[in-house]
Amino acid sequence: MLDRLDQTIVAVSSAPGSGALGIVRVAGPRAIELVDAIVRDSDEHAVTANDHPALLHHAPGGTHLLVELELDDTVRLPARTVVFRTPRSYTREDIVEIHTVGAPPILRAIVVRLVELGALAAQRGEFTARALLNGAMDLSKAESVAASIRAVSDTQLRAARLMADGSLGRLLTSLRGELAEVLALVEADIDFAEEPIDFISPQQLQDRIASLKKRLDKLSGSSTVVERFDELPGVLLIGLPNAGKSTLMNALTGIPRSICAAVAGTTRDLLTATANLESTHVMGEVMLIDSAGVDDAQDEVLTKARAMTLDAAGTVDLLCVVIDATNPGVEELRRELGSVELPQVVIAINKIDLAGDKIAGIAKE
């Protein structure tokens, strides 16, 4: 991309697929010139691409114009153009957006026509790369754009927005400034070692470095929780057959993802669905995994299902052990899970409305 910074690039910038509106974005030194070559005043009727007036040439930034796109002698489309003048644009270059019918073949045809006129097809992420290289955003904001595009859940999108607001970049800038100041004081102490001047004492240096390290460690430790969720944390529901794992799964996700029946062995595969978890400290999403019951059944299919469940237990972030209050089977669960290296574990006691006095006994176990 570095060898293309002086070129004009073009790409479809609206979401893939059909829609009422589609957007083609053109950025670079010839953006206005190239779009001028394919647009004409919507009130004109007998104008060719070679002799129509340059509608956008003198348009100030922020100008919206209703135009017609003239891709060839037979194809004319209604459109709106939006002009962004350098440096007040996403990439700090001249940018023109073409808003028109959101049909993929039409949007592709516009891109092809502009490429024929001299634009280059933009590479993935090239607009944001130019914004970064031209100083329109810092690295943390560029990463937030990429994270927003990759987001497949509300949690991931919220994390990307936290990076986009610049708080991470401002904090890193502050820490970098403090570190540079400490380095300057140390270098001054070395340069003027023979002078009766103390720029920073050894104890002060130690205290400031310790303070910076503590803040960096805190930032590093919280970054996976607050700033970035590349993958949703996995929570496996595990327990004896018919403990109510599938019912709990459906209740937490709000969708009938798992089949529920009062028959042991109903679930035999690992079923997944996202669920929102809210508390006073965390609001986010997890990937819930429903699993087959673990017991000593000798059925061939159930044995394979149990093995799949136990394998998954060692790979998730949290294990939710579901216990049937009417038939706890705690010792059997301990025996089945004994060979698995378990992550963090929480206990969910189910069917307590049917258990009566058994709850106290389960708590002791």
Side-chain angles (χ1 to χ4, degrees), residues 150-174:
R150 293 195 307 266
V152 294
S153 69
D154 292 342
T155 299
Q156 291 172 333
L157 188 57
R158 281 195 299 272
R161 294 301 184 197
L162 285 174
M163 285 194 290
D165 70 8
S167 57
L168 177 61
R170 288 192 296 272
L171 178 57
L172 290 176
T173 298
S174 174

Side-chain angles (χ1 to χ4, degrees), residues 49-303:
N50 294 323
D51 61 12
H52 72 73
L55 299 178
L56 308 181
H57 182 69
H58 298 292
T63 299
H64 293 236
L65 289 177
L66 291 175
V67 298
E68 285 189 356
L69 297 179
E70 195 170 63
L71 301 182
D72 56 38
D73 293 337
T74 61
V75 178
R76 292 177 181 174
L77 302 168
R80 178 189 296 271
T81 57
V82 186
V83 178
F84 302 90
R85 292 281 186 176
T86 180
R88 302 183 64 179
S89 71
Y90 182 72
T91 63
R92 290 193 174 171
E93 306 168 293
D94 286 341
I95 290 180
V96 181
E97 287 189 353
I98 302 171
H99 299 194
T100 187
V101 181
I106 291 176
L107 300 177
R108 284 195 298 270
I110 296 171
V111 172
V112 168
R113 179 62 181 137
L114 289 168
V115 168
E116 290 173 351
L117 292 171
L120 299 177
Q123 298 176 9
R124 181 176 296 180
E126 189 166 2
F127 288 100
T128 299
R130 289 191 175 200
L132 173 64
L133 294 171
N134 291 333
M137 63 176 65
D138 60 22
L139 183 58
S140 64
K141 288 189 177 181
E143 289 179 341
S144 78
V145 174
S148 296
I149 294 171
R150 293 195 307 266
V152 294
S153 69
D154 292 342
T155 299
Q156 291 172 333
L157 188 57
R158 281 195 299 272
R161 294 301 184 197
L162 285 174
M163 285 194 290
D165 70 8
S167 57
L168 177 61
R170 288 192 296 272
L171 178 57
L172 290 176
T173 298
S174 174
L175 291 171
R176 185 167 57 245
E178 290 186 42
L179 189 57
E181 180 183 345
V182 171
L183 178 60
L185 292 172
V186 172
E187 290 177 343
D189 240 359
I190 295 173
D191 291 339
F192 296 92
E194 298 180 359
E195 302 292 335
I197 304 174
D198 287 332
F199 290 92
I200 186 169
S201 69
Q203 186 59 50
Q204 289 173 327
L205 175 61
Q206 182 177 343
D207 291 344
R208 293 191 65 171
I209 290 177
S211 175
L212 285 166
K213 182 179 183 303
K214 182 178 179 181
R215 291 161 65 187
L216 285 169
D217 287 343
K218 182 179 179 181
L219 176 63
S220 177
S222 64
S223 62
T224 55
V225 178
V226 178
E227 297 289 357
R228 185 186 299 274
F229 285 87
D230 288 334
E231 295 182 2
L232 292 180
V235 178
L236 179 67
L237 303 179
I238 194 169
L240 295 176
N242 205 31
K245 301 181 295 298
S246 297
T247 301
L248 181 59
M249 169 91 157
N250 292 345
L252 292 175
T253 61
I255 58 174
R257 182 70 177 87
S258 300
I259 297 175
C260 299
V263 178
T266 302
T267 302
R268 298 192 177 190
D269 294 312
L270 297 177
L271 303 177
T272 62
T274 58
N276 283 310
L277 298 184
E278 299 184 16
S279 73
T280 56
H281 302 291
V282 177
M283 183 177 71
E285 290 177 311
V286 299
M287 183 64 68
L288 275 184
I289 308 170
D290 190 14
S291 64
V294 290
D295 61 3
D296 56 1
Q298 299 303 309
D299 179 272
E300 181 180 359
V301 175
L302 293 179
T303 299

